[in-house]
Amino acid sequence: MSSDGGKGDLLLTMRGLRIEGQSDEEWHEIVKGVDLDLHRGEVLGLIGESGAGKSTIGLAAMGFARPGCRISAGEIVFDGVDLMKASESTKRKLRGVRIAYVAQSAAASFNPAHRLIDQFSEGPVEHGVSGRAEAESDARELYGKLLLPDPDRIGYRYPHQVSGGQLQRAMTAMAMACRPDLIIFDEPTTALDVTTQIEVLATIKNIVEEFDTAAIYITHDLAVVAQMADRIKVLRFGETVEEADTATMMTSPQQEYTKTLWAVRSFKKEPIPAKSKEPLVSVKNVTAAYGAVPVLHDVSFDIYRGKTVAVVGESGSGKSTTARVITGLLPPREGQVLVNGEPLPGDYRHRTKAQLRHAQMIYQMADTAVNPKQRIREIIGRPVSFYLGLSGRRLEERIRELLSLIELEPDKFIDRFPGELSGGQKQRICIARALAAEPEFIICDEVTSALDQIVAEGILRLLDRLQRELDLAYMFITHDLATVRAISDEVVVMLKGRIVEQGPREEMFTPPHHEYTDLLLSSVPEMDPHWLDDLMERRRRDGMMASTSTS
Amino acid sequence: MHNIVKLVAQRMALGLLVLFIVSLIIAAGVDALPGDLCQEMQGQSATAETLEACRKEIGLDKALPLRYADWLGGILKGDFGVSLANGRQISELIGSRLGNTFFLAGLAAIISVPLALALGILAALYRNGIYDRGVNVVTLSSISFPEFFIAYILILWLSVNWGWFPSLSNVGGDTPLAERAYKSLLPALTLTLVVVAHMMRMTRASIINLLASPYIEMASLKGMTKSRIILKHALPNAWAPIVNVVVLNLAYLIVGVVVVEVVFVYPGLGELMVDSVRKRDIPVVQACASIFAATYIILNMTADILSIVTNPRLLHPK
């Protein structure tokens, strides 16, 4: 699969594409003159951080601009049709038939009110491509090709009755319904667990090859794009940074920015020598349930002062529930949590202020974890006055100190609202809020998952520095093994509410592993463009696909 | 399906409990009204002796809890008691009136609900356009006027000036259906003008609220037409709030129509209740109020159930 060999003629061209977005009654340029060529049957990877304009360009390939956006200049020609000049009805007839779209969140992009197969058939039937019965039998066939379990019946379910990975494949099937010439994949696996992602990637890759469909594959994950694309285009701030075929791009990126993207995964913390033998926090034989549904089974691990324990697992494995038990939001059925050897009451309402102060949380979505109507001063100041009883000038001083600690300039930020901050800055505010209580122990729940890699790396470095300076213990919940590799001292691997393996980082990343840890580790995409093919080949040999394809 | 049966049973039990509490409040409220039937009937000529005799005769001398217990016992046996004012069976008195009220409400609902939904859907489809603004202005104006004002305007134009409809809706038990509908049309139109705005605006807002959803964008990207997106993709997910507002308005059509009934001299339940309050005819007031409360409870329960039935997450559990 190379861009110059066996691929067909030009399918899509963009010249000088400019797109503007509206905010505060003003139009700002988000895409600033991008050129793009795509040949029949070719897969082009668009890569960049959020705000680079990737999705906007992807949608523009369908002649579509989101509400609040407009295509202001340039040329978009799809197979001889000028999409800038085409009427709404001409474009409508292309969409779904010749150009299809696969969205990031399949769960949100399937209509909850209709069955999967109805949504599949809608395109072909409404566009007059095929009849209803024909569309349904085609759906069943495609579901089979995409390795969905029970392909004859799964279509008759509603979206909420199907798992995330299955939905994403069902959406790919839906995009294929009219056998389009071009599919736009907009971060289709970003919301999925690493073990699920790999299956979706493999099935997408196969089906695109089988039908010789051209694709624009949008992602912020380099390793993923390396597996999927023939050619890669790097974007930043709405402009092309560079473009080359995948092999060249992976081995010898030309631009400085691309090199920093490539280098991002290099952060790895220096091991901290053990200081104390007594654990700071011990989770002992905890079993917990939501109502009648058991979620945690006999979970035990220790966290030492100044150390980081990474808790890894897929969604639903009980990582966050463990955090809820430690913070007292969910009293355990059995077992207990000890801090400095003293058992804590199971319910946070029965804990003393001092006990509460020692365990703080940082959440995944900084957006929703801060009150948008409060200024930074109040957000950070509240725990300072609540736990430490400071007020007036001393409170003000402490808030400024905390802001300096998280590397945000106090004068500039103290009176801002969260809405005026970037995602990374908001997460820093959440860190400052946790630090405000002067805790010994912080639970970080997927704190970097919603951030771009470069921003995420900054957060990880900050957390590492704070740990050294303040001797903090972290419980770091994540599904991202690259993060685990970067920051952990100890690793706990969870599956279905149980701990399957735990130990020091070096041990966990060196074989032999527990079977499930092995699956997790081997599913992390690597930069090598042949990695996915090789892995699939290996797993097919081992017959592992059979046992995991139902996830 | 099993879940829904259980849920409906739970709601019904709760509804009965609410009804019981409401009946207590009504009994206490009616008792707190100044004066009673005997004072009302005897007026200036009342003496302490005649009042006491009168109260004894109709049982007003008993304590409130005792009277309430008697009344409740009767209700449980299906006996609403007799009117204190004229000694007629209340069930008989209310029966025909209730039928009339339901008829008027039904007629108004048949006109207003489809109209409001259609206007709302069209407003969502052509949002921020001239049609949208126009329909908003008109419905908002009609809701802003007092009902009796709308009623008199309609009487002036449709009845007095143009003579299309009668201004009196004196329907009786033996009035044939067509004539009944014809005579009730003016009050029904008045009510329609009053309730359409709420329902139409909620329909519009609920649909527009969903238009930013990823699945709506997906439908556009599948090349679906605007009208199909609104009808097939937005509307099915918008039912819950719409149904709730529709039901509240239906309840209003049954219990809130006193003014309109009085203007058109329509023999409905509201008119009877107002009349009975004036006469302090407590059993009748209590019966009417209980019926109104039951209407509210039943309709709201219907709204809950419809919201569930239109939500696949609840209808088709994992």
Side-chain angles (χ1 to χ4, degrees):
Chain A
M1 288 185 52
S2 71
S3 59
D4 38 12
K7 294 295 168 184
D9 46 347
L10 266 184
L11 181 66
L12 174 77
T13 53
M14 292 182 177
R15 287 290 171 268
L17 180 71
R18 287 176 186 276
I19 301 172
E20 294 178 330
Q22 196 177 26
S23 64
D24 305 329
E25 306 286 307
E26 268 180 64
W27 292 95
H28 302 276
E29 214 158 61
I30 0 180
V31 174
K32 302 160 186 165
V34 166
D35 299 337
L36 184 152
D37 288 313
L38 185 67
H39 298 81
R40 265 178 208 285
E42 187 187 27
V43 179
L44 173 70
L46 286 188
I47 187 154
E49 298 168 77
S50 55
K54 314 181 293 280
S55 298
T56 317
I57 294 172
L59 289 170
M62 307 181 79
F64 183 89
R66 290 212 162 108
C69 292
R70 63 178 184 202
I71 303 174
S72 50
E75 193 181 283
I76 308 166
V77 181
F78 173 80
D79 202 18
V81 184
D82 185 343
L83 294 184
M84 291 291 283
K85 298 202 183 90
S87 69
E88 204 47 48
S89 116
T90 311
K91 285 190 276 185
R92 197 172 60 68
K93 283 171 191 148
L94 285 178
R95 289 176 194 153
V97 186
R98 302 202 52 205
I99 318 175
Y101 181 75
V102 175
Q104 172 170 5
S105 166
S109 295
F110 268 115
N111 192 323
H114 303 299
R115 296 176 306 175
L116 296 177
I117 204 156
D118 296 332
Q119 304 192 48
F120 179 98
S121 312
E122 185 181 25
V125 172
E126 288 299 306
H127 287 295
V129 173
S130 68
R132 171 82 203 198
E134 211 180 314
E136 287 200 15
S137 77
D138 184 42
R140 288 192 284 269
E141 192 181 321
L142 280 176
Y143 291 154
K145 279 192 201 295
L146 287 160
L147 302 179
L148 282 164
D150 200 2
D152 286 341
R153 285 210 299 269
I154 194 168
Y156 298 91
R157 297 209 201 158
Y158 284 86
H160 70 273
Q161 296 172 311
V162 175
S163 77
Q166 292 170 356
L167 270 185
Q168 203 55 272
R169 279 177 275 173
M171 177 159 284
T172 307
M174 185 163 84
M176 282 287 175
C178 299
R179 300 296 184 275
D181 300 304
L182 169 62
I183 300 185
I184 316 291
F185 290 98
D186 192 352
E187 306 246 13
T189 60
T190 307
L192 302 177
D193 283 320
V194 61
T195 47
T196 318
Q197 156 171 294
I198 193 165
E199 289 158 26
V200 177
L201 285 180
T203 50
I204 288 180
K205 189 167 183 172
N206 285 339
I207 200 139
V208 167
E209 272 171 23
E210 179 172 346
F211 293 111
D212 199 24
T213 316
I216 294 181
Y217 197 99
I218 298 164
T219 177
H220 67 268
D221 190 333
L222 283 164
V224 165
V225 82
Q227 310 311 315
M228 306 303 286
D230 301 319
R231 201 149 49 90
I232 295 178
K233 190 181 185 69
V234 182
L235 293 163
R236 189 187 198 192
F237 305 138
E239 285 171 289
T240 306
V241 175
E242 65 178 311
E243 187 176 338
D245 64 80
T246 303
T248 317
M249 189 67 103
M250 298 315 289
T251 49
S252 49
Q254 299 300 309
Q255 298 296 317
E256 215 33 59
Y257 174 68
T258 318
K259 286 180 192 159
T260 61
L261 272 183
W262 266 228
V264 130
R265 286 161 182 249
S266 61
F267 173 70
K268 192 171 176 185
K269 87 175 208 182
E270 295 297 314
I272 302 172
K275 284 174 193 154
S276 65
K277 289 217 172 86
E278 289 305 305
L280 176 68
V281 179
S282 315
V283 178
K284 279 219 184 314
N285 308 99
V286 162
T287 296
Y290 289 120
V293 187
V295 249
L296 291 182
H297 307 276
D298 197 22
V299 168
S300 303
F301 60 93
D302 295 329
I303 303 168
Y304 292 88
R305 193 179 296 279
K307 293 269 186 181
T308 301
V309 171
V311 180
V312 211
E314 298 173 47
S315 49
S317 60
K319 310 185 295 286
S320 295
T321 307
T322 309
R324 287 173 64 87
V325 169
I326 296 175
T327 50
L329 290 170
L330 180 73
R333 284 276 159 89
E334 285 163 42
Q336 55 186 358
V337 178
L338 302 133
V339 170
N340 286 324
E342 269 179 59
L344 287 183
D347 190 328
Y348 74 95
R349 279 166 291 205
H350 302 145
R351 294 187 184 174
T352 64
K353 220 183 223 189
Q355 287 170 333
L356 289 174
R357 183 168 76 90
H358 285 311
Q360 295 293 313
M361 288 265 330
I362 307 171
Y363 297 91
Q364 175 175 5
M365 305 301 285
D367 272 324
T368 50
V370 291
N371 186 336
K373 302 278 185 215
Q374 285 184 340
R375 291 179 194 279
I376 303 307
R377 182 195 303 276
E378 293 169 75
I379 293 171
I380 302 178
R382 172 71 186 146
V384 176
S385 54
F386 178 76
Y387 285 118
L388 307 172
L390 298 189
S391 60
R393 204 168 48 81
R394 288 175 59 213
L395 173 65
E396 173 86 12
E397 269 168 22
R398 181 64 187 147
I399 296 171
R400 286 173 177 276
E401 222 173 274
L402 285 163
L403 280 172
S404 315
L405 207 56
I406 54 159
E407 296 155 15
L408 293 181
E409 214 177 296
D411 290 327
K412 228 168 119 188
F413 287 94
I414 196 162
D415 281 316
R416 288 205 191 171
F417 287 103
E420 301 167 75
L421 268 51
S422 73
Q425 288 168 340
K426 266 181 257 185
Q427 195 56 285
R428 280 169 191 257
I429 295 301
C430 292
I431 294 174
R433 179 174 60 183
L435 291 177
E438 298 184 3
E440 295 174 314
F441 170 56
I442 298 182
I443 299 175
C444 306
D445 192 352
E446 302 270 10
V447 291
T448 54
S449 317
L451 303 172
D452 286 319
Q453 288 175 50
I454 293 180
V455 181
E457 165 139 336
I459 296 287
L460 293 183
R461 284 184 195 276
L462 171 68
L463 285 170
D464 182 50
R465 206 199 78 217
L466 293 170
Q467 180 165 54
R468 282 164 204 285
E469 289 176 14
L470 307 172
D471 205 18
L472 292 168
Y474 292 141
M475 170 174 157
F476 208 98
I477 297 170
T478 182
H479 66 267
D480 180 21
L481 286 149
T483 311
V484 175
R485 209 185 286 258
I487 51 96
S488 65
D489 297 299
E490 307 250 334
V491 183
V492 171
V493 182
M494 292 189 73
L495 174 67
K496 294 176 187 149
R498 290 174 204 278
I499 294 182
V500 293
E501 195 173 7
Q502 56 180 313
R505 171 176 65 176
E506 301 311 329
E507 237 169 70
M508 298 300 288
F509 284 98
T510 2
H513 314 289
H514 179 270
E515 188 184 318
Y516 177 71
T517 314
D518 194 55
L519 177 68
L520 270 183
L521 286 173
S522 67
S523 299
V524 179
E526 287 168 20
M527 294 290 195
D528 172 13
H530 303 292
W531 168 81
L532 182 63
D533 297 332
D534 295 348
L535 179 76
M536 282 298 133
E537 185 54 43
R538 213 164 49 237
R539 285 200 184 169
R540 213 163 291 133
R541 267 203 313 272
D542 302 347
M544 270 184 80
M545 269 313 262
S547 62
T548 58
S549 65
T550 48
S551 67
Chain B
M1 282 322 278
H2 172 74
N3 283 332
I4 289 183
V5 173
K6 191 173 153 199
L7 209 121
V8 171
Q10 272 175 352
R11 292 292 156 99
M12 286 223 226
L14 269 176
L16 281 176
L17 180 68
V18 173
L19 202 53
F20 170 70
I21 294 169
V22 168
S23 73
L24 277 177
I25 295 172
I26 295 168
V30 171
D31 193 62
L33 286 175
D36 62 19
L37 180 74
C38 295
Q39 275 176 338
E40 202 63 36
M41 282 198 306
Q42 297 179 2
Q44 298 291 330
S45 61
T47 65
E49 290 81 40
T50 55
L51 277 179
E52 198 182 324
C54 166
R55 283 178 185 148
K56 192 153 200 151
E57 190 193 324
I58 57 179
L60 279 181
D61 56 334
K62 285 191 241 170
L64 176 66
L66 225 58
R67 271 183 282 140
Y68 178 77
D70 281 353
W71 178 80
L72 193 65
I75 295 281
L76 291 179
K77 281 182 278 178
D79 176 14
F80 279 92
V82 291
S83 161
L84 297 183
N86 53 25
R88 287 174 61 191
Q89 282 290 324
I90 290 179
S91 46
E92 195 184 299
L93 202 63
I94 285 178
S96 67
R97 295 267 186 161
L98 189 62
N100 287 343
T101 291
F102 279 143
F103 181 78
L104 179 57
L107 189 61
I110 288 173
I111 303 170
S112 62
V113 174
L115 181 70
L117 289 183
L119 290 177
I121 291 170
L122 287 172
L125 191 55
Y126 301 110
R127 61 190 174 284
N128 304 329
I130 291 188
Y131 164 80
D132 185 19
R133 283 180 204 161
V135 80
N136 263 308
V137 167
V138 172
T139 50
L140 276 181
S141 318
S142 75
I143 204 179
S144 308
F145 290 119
E147 304 157 44
F148 60 85
F149 181 75
I150 294 178
Y152 285 130
I153 295 270
L154 288 182
I155 290 176
L156 179 67
W157 286 346
L158 301 184
S159 176
V160 178
N161 286 359
W162 301 336
W164 291 353
F165 298 105
S167 64
L168 290 187
S169 310
N170 51 340
V171 297
D174 49 356
T175 318
L177 184 69
E179 193 190 335
R180 190 180 267 261
Y182 174 64
K183 282 186 166 176
S184 312
L185 203 61
L186 270 194
L189 275 183
T190 310
L191 288 172
T192 299
L193 285 173
V194 174
V195 296
V196 144
H198 270 151
M199 294 191 279
M200 171 257 156
R201 287 170 68 80
M202 185 48 98
T203 307
R204 176 184 181 276
S206 322
I207 290 177
I208 289 180
N209 200 12
L210 293 176
L211 292 186
S213 314
Y215 58 81
I216 298 294
E217 182 179 283
M218 192 68 201
S220 325
L221 293 174
K222 278 162 76 182
M224 296 300 122
T225 56
K226 262 183 166 182
S227 49
R228 192 180 163 86
I229 290 173
I230 298 273
L231 287 174
K232 282 276 175 180
H233 289 273
L235 192 59
N237 293 293
W239 279 127
I242 297 176
V243 162
N244 273 298
V245 167
V246 167
V247 160
L248 272 182
N249 279 287
L250 290 185
Y252 172 80
L253 286 179
I254 292 170
V255 309
V257 294
V258 175
V259 176
V260 173
E261 285 184 359
V262 171
V263 171
F264 290 96
V265 202
Y266 185 88
L269 207 54
E271 208 201 6
L272 175 69
M273 184 165 166
V274 172
D275 213 34
S276 306
V277 169
R278 208 164 43 227
K279 291 186 199 146
R280 305 287 185 271
D281 194 345
I282 291 161
V284 179
V285 175
Q286 233 163 347
C288 291
S290 305
I291 287 173
F292 286 158
T295 308
Y296 252 104
I297 291 166
I298 290 170
L299 282 174
N300 274 306
M301 195 167 80
T302 316
D304 283 354
I305 294 167
L306 281 178
S307 308
I308 292 164
V309 174
T310 55
N311 182 343
R313 274 169 210 274
L314 298 173
L315 196 61
H316 307 278
K318 282 203 172 182

